[in-house]
Structures are given as structure tokens and as C-alpha cells.
Amino acid sequence: MNPTNFLAELKRRNVYRAAVAYGVVAWFLTQLTTQVFPFFEIPNSAVRFVVIALAVGFPIAMLLSWVYEFTPEGVVRTEDLNPAKARSSQRATGRILDFIIIGALLLVIAMLIVGRFPFYRETGEAISKKSVAVLPFENLSEDKANTYFAEGIQEEILTRLAKIADLKVISRTSTQRYQSKPGNLAEIAKQLGVANIVEGSVQKAGDQVRVNVQLVNAQTDFHLWADTYDRKLVDIFVVESDIAKAIAESLQAKLTGGEQRALAVKPTNNPEAYDAYLRGLALEARTTTSPDDSEKAIGFYERAVQLDPAFALAWARLSQANARVYFGVLDSTTARRDATERALKTAQKLQPNSPETLLAQAYYQYCVLRDYDLAKATFGRVRELLPGNSDVPGALALIARRQGHWDESVAYWEQTLVLDPRNTEWLRSAAETYMMLRQFPAALKTYDRLLDLVPNDPDTVALEARIYQAEGNLEQAGKLLVGVNAQTLSLTVFLTKKEQLFLERHFDEGIRLINSRITESRDLSDIQRLLYPFLMVQAKQNAGDIAGSRAAAQQVLGPEETLSQKDPDNPFWLAGLSHIHAVLGQKDAAIKEAERAITLLPSGKDAVIGPIYEESLAYVEILVGEKNRAIPRLQRLLKIPYLGCLTPALLRLHPMWDPLRGDPAFQKLCEEKQP
């Protein structure tokens, strides 16, 4: 056939139109599958199959368009039509193809327009193209005990990325629940609110380390960058720095001169010190950290600074870990305070302006000095150096609520959960804040988010039960606590069940529960050995067994006095001791100790914990016969947010307030509208 005639025949038979229509539709289907398949967790292999099928189908479609025509009678061979009818059918086929091309082009244009805007999460929040999450690195070492090393490398890379202001980096606490190489990156990216995912693996053998890393656009599954590093352990810092720089460059993030210098810092030349440091990091990064884990982490940091006294980063971590332990009510001793301060001063001497040293300084000011204004200012400086670190807005949220700035605290929680959306600690603290504000629906919604991450978590379920208790919905609270007994390990769950039994006035069952905990539990800490007998004192008092309560109090008195003498400025021990003295009828000592607890930690200094000691004083006043002093105190507590979250329902239901029931002023408090 003459080439000119052949091209004319292609046009006459609408092969050109068919090619254009097929190309446009194929492009649309390719885009559609890459966006929709991940939503239904369809493997990426299915997307590749669609692309290959469309490519193979192109010559077949062209052949069919040459051989067949659309007619009113259906699809028929072109050769079987007479010339006049063939021309009519070809015009009709051309119009059909024109409609297909125009419709497909409109869809393409719409997708291109939408594609120019950032995509959105279900919340409506725009997802930046410069956002990234680093998934857990796979441990490929033969020694599976080296998992801590892979976790530490991931944490260090994240720390470096968090120093780049032009990037949004999701914290490790939100990513550590995922597998090292998950099947559906698009869904994970959607959950985390990022556009890009970093995957990697670490293999350690002796002093040799191999690190594989790849950066993937989660929406398109396109690999933006990948590399393999085979280095000696002493060069691991260079690897971490190079990886962070490569990720930033691939995402076209702008690095300031200060950020470039921060990425290149080598914290220690001692591999053994760094190994100990990584072990401490791995322990602190656990989803739930027990007091024992905290002490072990401190031990590893101490080992790191012993091996390298110039290891400023380890000194900073050591100070921060000690500060957090000190902040708890169980160890606010002078020895712990001195250890925190000593580690901080050493870090400041070595690297006074590093973000890690400033972070340790901020935690010292917050947890040890309780100088919230000073801590807030220091955290603000850290935020400029570590813009992607969720610890900073999270700490600012905690500080704001301690200062009684509740709206500000909620705003900081929202910022924190953008950077760290699956951080169980932050979600729990945010829900706790809503509960203190008596915004119970918001608290329950946040706890539900937590349960989505940790289904049936006993502590979270118990915390939801506490909300129902505060609302006076004992039936719903009871349903959540079915099955809890003396063998239940969680102290939070146990205490919530104990409260439920006394709110329901099942006193005998509550006393049996506590007694079983005392007699059947093994491996109790010294604190727990004192806590349960103390609870027995309160239980018998609430049950009306005055003689039994005094006998139990007499047994607890000696250990309580010993702890209070050991840590004389701890309001927690003072409040407990005041209860014991009140039960024993020692009015002056009880009032004095309860008032001193308030002096040590007043509401004006700590809006979260301070009012608890006011509630404690109110209870002591009731026990020693000063009821008229207790009622105005309770009236104030109903109006302010705090951890105790006293409500009219709890006043109506709890037996600890029974001595006030005949007082009209108290009855009025009980009848106040539930917040």
C-alpha cells in the first residue's frame, strides 16, 4: 500500500482518534489506580499489572480500531460494510471517540488542577511535600540483641532531620509501632500525615556496620533516593549525617548554615560510649517505660560518660532522664536532684549552646526547679533549633497546664499531635487535659484514638471508666472494669476498680480486693508495700469501721514517718501522713502536715497537682471535725480544672464525703449542674 494512502486510511478508520482516546483513558486509569488501590490496601503489584496490561493493550486496541466499526447494528468488520454505510459508520465512530477524548481530557485537566494543590488528610489538614516519617529500621544482624542499635540509628537520623526547619518530621514514638518494611506505605503516610516515608535496615558485625536506606514518595511509590553505606562503627556519625543531608536534598529542603553545621556534629570518638548511649536511647523510647527501665537507661548513660567524659550529648540525656525521675512523686530526694544538676552542668561546660544541652536545661528548670516561666523560655530557644521535635510543644503543653493556662495547653497539644500523631504518651496527656477541664466528650474521643493504636489497653480502658465515674455513670464504668481483680498488674486499673467498688458501696468486696493485693502479690516495691496498707486504712474508714481503720493506721504510721523524714519536702508523703494522723485522732499534727503539703506545692505554683492537696486537706478537716472549713474548699475545687477532677456526681456518690451529707451547703454542691 502507498504510505500516503495508508496514512489516509488510518485517518478514515479513526485509528488516530482511537490512539488518542486510548492514551488519555490509559493515563487516567493509571492515576486512578495509584491513588485508589492503596486506600483499599491493594498491593502495589496490582498497580504494576494495570500499567503493563494497558501497555500491552495499546497495539491490540489499534488493530481492533482498524478492523471494526461501530454501527447501529453493533460492532461489525469494516470490510463487511458497503462504502456508503462504511463512511457513515466511520463518522459516527469518530463522534463517539471525540466524546471519549473530550470527557477524558476534562478529567485529566481536573486531576492536574487538583494535583497542583497539596493533598489532604481526613481532618482537612494539608500535607506538605516536605514531610517525612522514618519507619523502624530492620535489624539484619545475626545477633538479634543488636535491635537496640538499629533503633538508635533511626532515632539519631530523626534527631538530625528534626533540626531542619524546612522539613516536617514525625517523631519516632509515632512510627515505632509499624513494621520495618510494611506493605502499604500510602495508608501509613495517610495515618501519619506525611508525603514521604524513609525505610532502612542496619547490619552490625563487630566494628563493621552496613546501613541501607531508601526514601519513597508514599503516594506514587516512587523511590526518590536510596543508598547503602558500608562503614566502620567509628564512622557511623558521618553516615547518619550523610543520610539526613541526602533526605533533605531529595525533598528540596533549604538548609541554613547553622543547620548544616548541626548535621555534621560528631558527638563522640568512642564507639563503646556510643553503644552504651544507644542502649539508653532504646530503653527511653519504649512505648511504656517503667521506673526500672528509667533506672536502666540512666545506668547506660552513666556508662557512656564514664567511657567518654567529653560526651556532651550523653551528659545531657543523663540529666534529662534524672530530671524526669525526680519529677515523679517517688524520688525527689536531694541525691537525685544533685545528680540531675551535676550532669547538666557538665553538658553546659562541654557544649553550652547545643539544642540537646538546652533541652536538658529546660527539663531541669521544669521538673526540678519548677520554674515554669524560665523553662518555657528555654523550650522556646530549643524550638528554634529543633523545629521538628515533638518533645518541645509537648513540654510546653504540660507547662501551660501547670500554670493554669488551659486554652494554651490545648493549643500546644494540637501542635504536638501534628508532629507526633500516634504518640501514646502525648495522646494520653492530651486526653487527661480534657478530663481535667471536665470536657468529658473530648477526653473520651481522645482515649478512643489511643485505643485505636493500642486496642483493649487496660490502662486506657480504666481511664475511660474514670470519666464515667466522674459523670456518675457507674453502670458504664462497671462494664469497662469487669474482670479486674487482685492479680491485675496495672496499678491504674486496680485503683480505678477499687474506686468503683466504693462508689457502688460494695465495701466488703473492696476490702477483700485490697487485702488480696497485700497478701497474694509478689515482688512488690517498697512503695507498693506501703500503698496497699494505706488504702486499707481509707477503705475501712469509708466503710464505717472506725476501730479497724485506726488499727490499720497504727501499722502504717511508722513506715509513713520514715519516708517523710527521708524526703521531708515531698508533699505526697506529707499528705499521706496527715491522713494517718487524722484517722488516729491527732488533729493538730494532721492539719499541720496537710497545710504544709499545700505550702510546698500550692495551686498557684502547680494548677494540676496543687489542688489535690487542697482536696486532701478538706478530707482531713472532715475526719477531725472541721466540716465548716471543708465545704468552701470543695466549692472552689468544683470550679477549677485539676487532676483530681472533683464533680457533683462524685460528691453525691463517694462515701468519703458521707459526714457532710446532712449539711444544706454540701447538698447544694451535690445538686450543681454537671459540667
Side-chain angles (χ1 to χ4, degrees):
M1 180 182 288
N2 186 301
T4 303
N5 293 339
F6 176 69
L7 294 175
E9 188 67 12
L10 287 175
K11 181 178 180 181
R12 186 180 70 81
R13 295 188 183 218
N14 294 306
V15 176
Y16 290 148
R17 281 191 174 105
V20 173
Y22 189 94
V24 173
V25 172
W27 183 89
F28 174 74
L29 289 175
T30 302
Q31 294 299 311
L32 189 65
T33 54
T34 56
Q35 297 293 325
V36 174
F37 279 23
F39 180 78
F40 294 101
E41 299 187 2
I42 300 173
N44 289 326
S45 58
V47 177
R48 290 191 286 270
F49 173 79
V50 171
V51 173
I52 293 170
L54 290 170
V56 172
F58 180 76
I60 298 174
M62 297 305 96
L63 179 62
L64 293 174
S65 69
W66 173 274
V67 175
Y68 294 100
E69 293 288 348
F70 289 108
T71 72
E73 292 79 20
V75 179
V76 299
R77 285 173 57 88
T78 303
E79 300 299 334
D80 295 338
L81 295 172
N82 61 55
K85 193 166 185 178
R87 285 193 294 273
S88 175
S89 297
Q90 287 159 358
R91 285 195 294 272
T93 300
R95 285 194 293 272
I96 292 171
L97 290 172
D98 286 342
F99 281 125
I100 293 174
I101 292 170
I102 292 170
L105 282 173
L106 289 174
L107 286 172
V108 169
I109 291 170
M111 289 186 72
L112 287 172
I113 291 173
V114 173
R116 293 181 65 85
F117 298 96
F119 57 93
Y120 290 80
R121 301 172 72 181
E122 289 180 353
T123 59
E125 173 201 339
I127 297 180
S128 168
K129 293 179 180 179
K130 297 180 183 180
S131 56
V132 62
V134 183
L135 296 187
F137 279 21
E138 186 178 9
N139 175 32
L140 297 181
S141 307
E142 291 185 8
D143 185 355
K144 297 308 175 185
N146 282 335
T147 299
Y148 78 91
F149 190 81
E151 293 173 352
I153 297 300
Q154 179 207 8
E155 175 74 13
E156 289 293 272
I157 291 171
L158 268 172
T159 300
R160 283 171 164 76
L161 290 173
K163 296 177 180 179
I164 302 173
D166 203 27
L167 286 179
K168 174 191 171 184
V169 184
I170 299 299
S171 172
R172 182 186 168 203
T173 45
S174 281
T175 62
Q176 65 180 331
R177 296 181 180 276
Y178 296 104
Q179 298 176 355
S180 299
K181 291 185 178 179
N184 197 332
L185 293 182
E187 181 60 26
I188 290 173
K190 181 181 177 183
Q191 293 172 358
L192 295 173
V194 296
N196 307 283
I197 296 288
V198 174
E199 298 178 294
S201 63
V202 177
Q203 188 172 3
K204 180 174 177 283
D207 66 343
Q208 292 293 127
V209 180
R210 167 173 284 190
V211 182
N212 288 296
V213 192
Q214 57 185 10
L215 174 67
V216 183
N217 182 304
Q219 296 301 306
T220 64
D221 202 32
F222 181 73
H223 286 57
L224 302 174
W225 166 81
D227 208 341
T228 299
Y229 301 84
D230 288 300
R231 304 286 174 83
K232 288 189 176 294
L233 185 59
V234 292
D235 297 323
I236 193 64
F237 306 111
V238 178
V239 173
E240 294 165 353
S241 178
D242 288 348
I243 290 172
K245 288 177 183 177
I247 292 171
E249 290 171 2
S250 299
L251 298 180
Q252 299 180 345
K254 298 177 182 178
L255 272 69
T256 65
E259 289 170 348
Q260 290 177 348
R261 288 190 295 274
L263 293 183
V265 169
K266 186 177 182 180
T268 180
N269 291 314
N270 189 315
E272 291 184 37
Y274 189 59
D275 185 85
Y277 170 78
L278 291 182
R279 290 177 186 271
L281 278 186
L283 281 169
E284 282 200 295
R286 288 183 177 178
T287 305
T288 54
T289 303
S290 67
D292 189 46
D293 286 337
S294 297
E295 291 298 343
K296 286 180 180 178
I298 288 171
F300 282 124
Y301 294 140
E302 288 175 341
R303 172 67 175 161
V305 297
Q306 286 170 1
L307 291 167
D308 181 4
F311 195 171
L313 187 58
W315 281 111
R317 278 281 182 176
L318 176 59
S319 174
Q320 189 173 324
N322 272 311
R324 284 175 166 167
V325 172
Y326 181 90
F327 193 63
V329 297
L330 302 182
D331 188 359
S332 55
T333 59
T334 302
R336 181 71 67 177
R337 179 188 180 115
D338 291 346
T340 307
E341 185 176 0
R342 183 168 56 251
L344 174 61
K345 287 184 175 180
T346 306
Q348 290 174 323
K349 182 178 179 181
L350 294 167
Q351 291 183 5
N353 298 316
S354 77
E356 291 80 12
T357 298
L358 289 172
L359 190 61
Q361 179 181 333
Y363 273 109
Y364 175 75
Q365 293 162 343
Y366 170 44
C367 298
V368 179
L369 300 182
R370 290 183 182 267
D371 189 331
Y372 300 135
D373 287 331
L374 195 58
K376 191 173 182 179
T378 306
F379 275 119
R381 291 176 61 193
V382 176
R383 198 173 196 180
E384 295 175 1
L385 299 171
L386 296 174
N389 188 318
S390 71
D391 276 0
V392 177
L396 289 170
L398 295 172
I399 290 173
R401 74 184 194 184
R402 296 275 174 182
Q403 293 180 308
H405 303 158
W406 297 96
D407 291 342
E408 186 179 327
S409 179
V410 170
Y412 277 128
W413 284 131
E414 291 173 353
Q415 296 174 27
T416 303
L417 293 174
V418 168
L419 289 172
D420 213 348
R422 297 170 74 82
N423 185 321
T424 55
E425 179 186 352
W426 291 148
L427 280 168
R428 186 173 287 110
S429 294
E432 186 181 67
T433 302
Y434 287 123
M435 185 176 177
M436 293 183 211
L437 287 164
R438 300 181 180 85
Q439 296 178 11
F440 297 135
L444 287 170
K445 185 177 180 180
T446 308
Y447 280 133
D448 285 343
R449 283 181 63 183
L450 192 54
L451 288 171
D452 287 340
L453 300 177
V454 193
N456 302 315
D457 174 59
D459 281 1
T460 306
V461 173
L463 291 169
E464 286 197 335
R466 287 187 181 182
I467 292 176
Y468 290 117
Q469 290 172 349
E471 291 179 321
N473 188 348
L474 297 186
E475 181 180 358
Q476 184 60 34
K479 290 177 181 178
L480 296 178
L481 298 169
V482 171
V484 177
N485 54 43
Q487 284 70 48
T488 300
L489 294 177
S490 168
L491 182 59
T492 298
V493 178
F494 173 81
L495 293 176
T496 306
K497 178 68 173 183
K498 184 265 299 181
E499 282 296 289
Q500 179 73 15
L501 291 173
F502 280 86
L503 288 168
E504 294 173 338
R505 297 183 179 265
H506 297 155
F507 299 121
D508 290 343
E509 189 178 348
I511 289 171
R512 283 197 301 271
L513 179 71
I514 298 170
N515 191 57
S516 297
R517 193 78 163 196
I518 295 172
T519 58
E520 297 176 14
S521 297
R522 300 290 182 267
D523 301 324
L524 294 178
S525 67
D526 291 339
I527 302 301
Q528 289 174 322
R529 292 184 192 282
L530 178 60
L531 172 64
Y532 298 127
F534 178 82
L535 293 177
M536 184 63 77
V537 174
Q538 292 184 323
K540 291 187 175 183
Q541 182 74 30
N542 291 335
D545 182 2
I546 305 302
S549 177
R550 287 180 176 174
Q554 197 64 53
Q555 293 179 343
V556 175
L557 179 61
E560 279 276 3
E561 288 178 331
T562 300
L563 278 172
S564 186
Q565 290 166 5
K566 181 181 177 182
D567 195 359
D569 293 331
N570 189 326
F572 181 77
W573 301 130
L574 277 171
L577 187 59
S578 73
H579 282 207
I580 299 302
H581 281 144
V583 169
L584 293 173
Q586 299 171 9
K587 176 178 177 179
D588 292 342
I591 294 291
K592 180 180 179 181
E593 288 151 356
E595 289 179 341
R596 183 159 184 268
I598 293 174
T599 302
L600 288 169
L601 196 64
S603 299
K605 188 174 182 180
D606 190 330
V608 173
I609 302 296
I612 288 179
Y613 297 118
E614 293 184 37
E615 184 178 330
S616 175
L617 174 58
Y619 182 52
V620 166
E621 288 169 337
I622 292 169
L623 291 177
V624 299
E626 295 286 348
K627 300 177 184 179
N628 292 334
R629 294 176 60 183
I631 292 175
R633 209 176 303 282
L634 295 176
Q635 185 176 18
R636 164 182 145 75
L637 291 171
L638 285 174
K639 296 178 181 179
I640 62 172
Y642 73 107
L643 187 60
C645 191
L646 188 66
T647 64
L650 290 174
L651 288 179
R652 288 195 304 271
L653 295 169
H654 206 293
M656 67 187 293
W657 309 118
D658 282 357
L660 298 177
R661 303 221 175 270
D663 192 301
F666 178 76
Q667 288 303 120
K668 186 177 179 181
L669 294 182
C670 294
E671 294 166 4
E672 286 190 6
K673 186 178 179 181
Q674 189 79 23

